[in-house]
């Protein structure tokens, strides 16, 4: 069994040259091809020897530091993809990842580069993959370790009865993949005002993002803004008549979304909206909703 660091240097180099040259460290490039990807931006595998605690500590510190600052993350992304255990030769592992990272997907004619070396991608996509797709993504990897946004160690491994198959996405999985950017935008915004995220951050951010998309918002800043209100006020915020009308006003171009939402007194107005939504949710559990039922 050998251990490897999976790194994604698309936006920056993960380690200083001095660190990597301090002692011999073997590196393999994942031979993925994409028109916009320079050779030095391709993902890489770095063999992690059992005695190399210095590099192990540096990789853990890197993973923690790059997700501690939302603004830096927005500019530089995540470089540390995780720690891998495998008994396969490194060049075979590199070729396997190259196959997984590129290919055709439903409705997409141009070649796509799926950044599995970015740990945000595997965290987002893993739950919607079938067991066989999960096994196909891991391939010769026995265990893939990563960190979530709460600093907890996450372990990805295939189920014992899964059979490896390709990770070409279905139409539904591709639609899920395209929402990742909006969810990550919201998570960074959430971290700015909350500091520490709850353990179910991904589910809550996903639901809030889906609500902003269903409301008709396409601007990234507007989605983050409304998503932040949803997270702070109520999951069903966009269903409230007052908020619904404010969103419609912004979509018509009568005002920006920020200007429209400023029309609600803070905190009194938002507290009232939260109370009405909670009361409506309680009534809905007690009796069937009637056609045309409104909040308030």
């Amino acid at each position: 069994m050998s251990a490897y660091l999976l790194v994604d240097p698309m936006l920056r180099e993960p380690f200083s040259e001095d660190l990597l040259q301090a002692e011999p460290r073997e590196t393999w490039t994942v031979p993925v091809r994409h028109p916009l990807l320079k050779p030095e931006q391709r993902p890489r595998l770095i063999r992690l020897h059992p005695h190399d605690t210095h590099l192990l500590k540096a990789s853990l510190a890197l993973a923690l530091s790059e997700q501690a600052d939302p603004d830096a993350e927005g500019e530089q992304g995540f470089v540390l993809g995780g720690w891998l255990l495998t008994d396969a030769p490194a060049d075979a592992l590199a070729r396997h990842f190259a196959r997984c990272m590129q290919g055709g997907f439903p409705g997409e004619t141009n070649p796509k580069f799926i950044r599995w070396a970015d740990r945000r991608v595997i965290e987002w996509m893993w739950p919607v993959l079938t067991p066989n797709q999960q096994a196909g993504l891991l391939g010769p990897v026995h265990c893939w370790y990563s960190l979530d946004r709460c600093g907890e160690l996450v372990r990805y491994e295939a189920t014992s009865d899964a059979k490896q198959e390709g990770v070409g996405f279905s139409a539904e999985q591709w639609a899920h993949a395209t929402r990742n950017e909006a969810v990550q935008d919201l998570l960074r915004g959430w971290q700015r005002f909350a500091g520490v995220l709850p353990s179910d951050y991904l589910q809550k951010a996903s639901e809030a993002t889906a609500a902003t998309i269903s409301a008709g918002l396409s601007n990234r800043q507007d989605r983050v803004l409304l998503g932040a209100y949803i997270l702070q006020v109520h999951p069903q915020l966009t269903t409230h008549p007052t908020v619904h009308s404010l969103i419609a006003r912004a979509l018509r171009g009568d005002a920006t979304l920020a200007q429209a939402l400023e029309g609600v007194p803070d905190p009194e107005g938002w507290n009232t909206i939260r109370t009405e939504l909670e009361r409506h949710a309680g009534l809905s559990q007690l009796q069937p909703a009637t056609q045309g039922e409104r909040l308030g």
Side-chain angles (χ1 to χ4, degrees):
M1 207 57 95
S2 297
Y4 295 88
L5 299 180
L6 177 61
V7 298
D8 180 6
M10 189 172 189
L11 299 179
R12 63 189 172 98
E13 284 295 323
F15 303 110
S16 68
E17 213 172 290
D18 293 340
L19 175 65
L20 293 179
Q21 292 181 352
E23 58 180 280
R25 292 188 173 99
E26 299 171 283
T27 301
W28 289 262
T29 298
V30 176
V32 67
R33 297 181 181 277
H34 190 275
L36 300 180
L37 198 65
K38 298 177 181 178
E40 64 270 19
Q41 293 177 309
R42 295 173 181 173
R44 294 199 294 268
L45 294 163
I46 305 174
R47 178 171 285 167
L48 188 62
H49 296 287
H51 68 276
D52 199 353
T53 56
H54 187 49
L55 181 58
L56 178 60
K57 289 175 65 176
S59 66
L60 181 58
L62 172 66
L64 289 170
S65 64
E66 64 185 0
Q67 65 186 38
D69 185 344
D71 294 321
E73 178 194 337
E75 296 178 0
Q76 302 178 350
F78 283 178
V79 180
L80 201 288
W83 302 267
L84 314 177
L85 289 178
T86 180
D87 55 8
D91 56 349
L93 182 60
R95 290 194 301 271
H96 165 75
F97 278 127
R99 289 191 295 270
C100 292
M101 291 178 182
Q102 57 192 5
F105 298 94
E108 298 292 324
T109 56
N110 296 324
K112 293 295 179 182
F113 170 38
I114 306 299
R115 296 175 62 188
W116 290 113
D118 185 329
R119 63 183 184 274
R120 295 169 297 189
V121 175
I122 188 170
E123 180 184 40
W124 176 246
M125 293 304 301
W126 185 264
V128 302
L129 297 179
T130 67
N132 290 351
Q133 285 178 312
Q134 293 174 348
L137 171 61
L138 294 179
V141 175
H142 288 260
C143 296
W144 181 335
Y145 293 95
S146 182
L147 288 184
D148 68 11
R149 287 182 177 272
C150 295
E152 296 294 328
L153 193 65
V154 180
R155 174 173 172 163
Y156 301 103
E157 59 182 338
T159 58
S160 58
D161 58 344
K163 298 179 180 179
Q164 293 187 19
E165 66 177 40
V167 288
F169 298 154
S170 66
E172 292 77 14
Q173 289 170 331
W174 180 247
H176 181 82
T178 60
R179 291 194 295 271
N180 187 31
E181 182 178 61
V183 170
Q184 301 304 328
D185 285 343
L186 181 55
L187 285 171
R188 287 191 292 272
W190 191 1
Q191 189 175 352
R192 287 188 187 96
F193 68 76
V196 179
L197 299 179
S199 58
D200 59 348
Y201 64 85
L202 198 61
Q203 178 182 349
K204 288 183 176 178
S206 176
E207 293 171 350
T209 298
T212 67
I213 294 173
S214 296
L217 298 177
S218 57
N219 180 276
R220 291 177 66 175
Q221 292 182 338
D222 286 348
R223 286 179 177 177
V224 172
L225 176 62
L226 183 58
Y229 275 96
I230 293 172
L231 292 170
Q232 294 180 88
V233 180
H234 195 277
Q236 302 298 321
L237 181 65
T238 58
T239 66
H240 193 281
T242 298
V243 178
H244 182 79
S245 65
L246 294 176
I247 296 172
R249 182 185 173 204
L251 291 175
R252 288 194 306 268
D254 297 340
T256 66
L257 180 64
Q259 291 170 340
L261 295 178
E262 286 176 357
V264 179
D266 188 15
E268 298 84 1
W270 294 111
N271 289 338
T272 299
I273 289 173
R274 179 189 297 110
T275 300
E276 291 175 353
L277 287 167
E278 290 174 347
R279 183 171 70 246
H280 179 264
L283 291 173
S284 297
Q285 293 176 1
L286 295 175
Q287 60 187 20
T290 60
Q291 187 174 6
E293 181 180 5
R294 293 184 60 83
L295 298 168

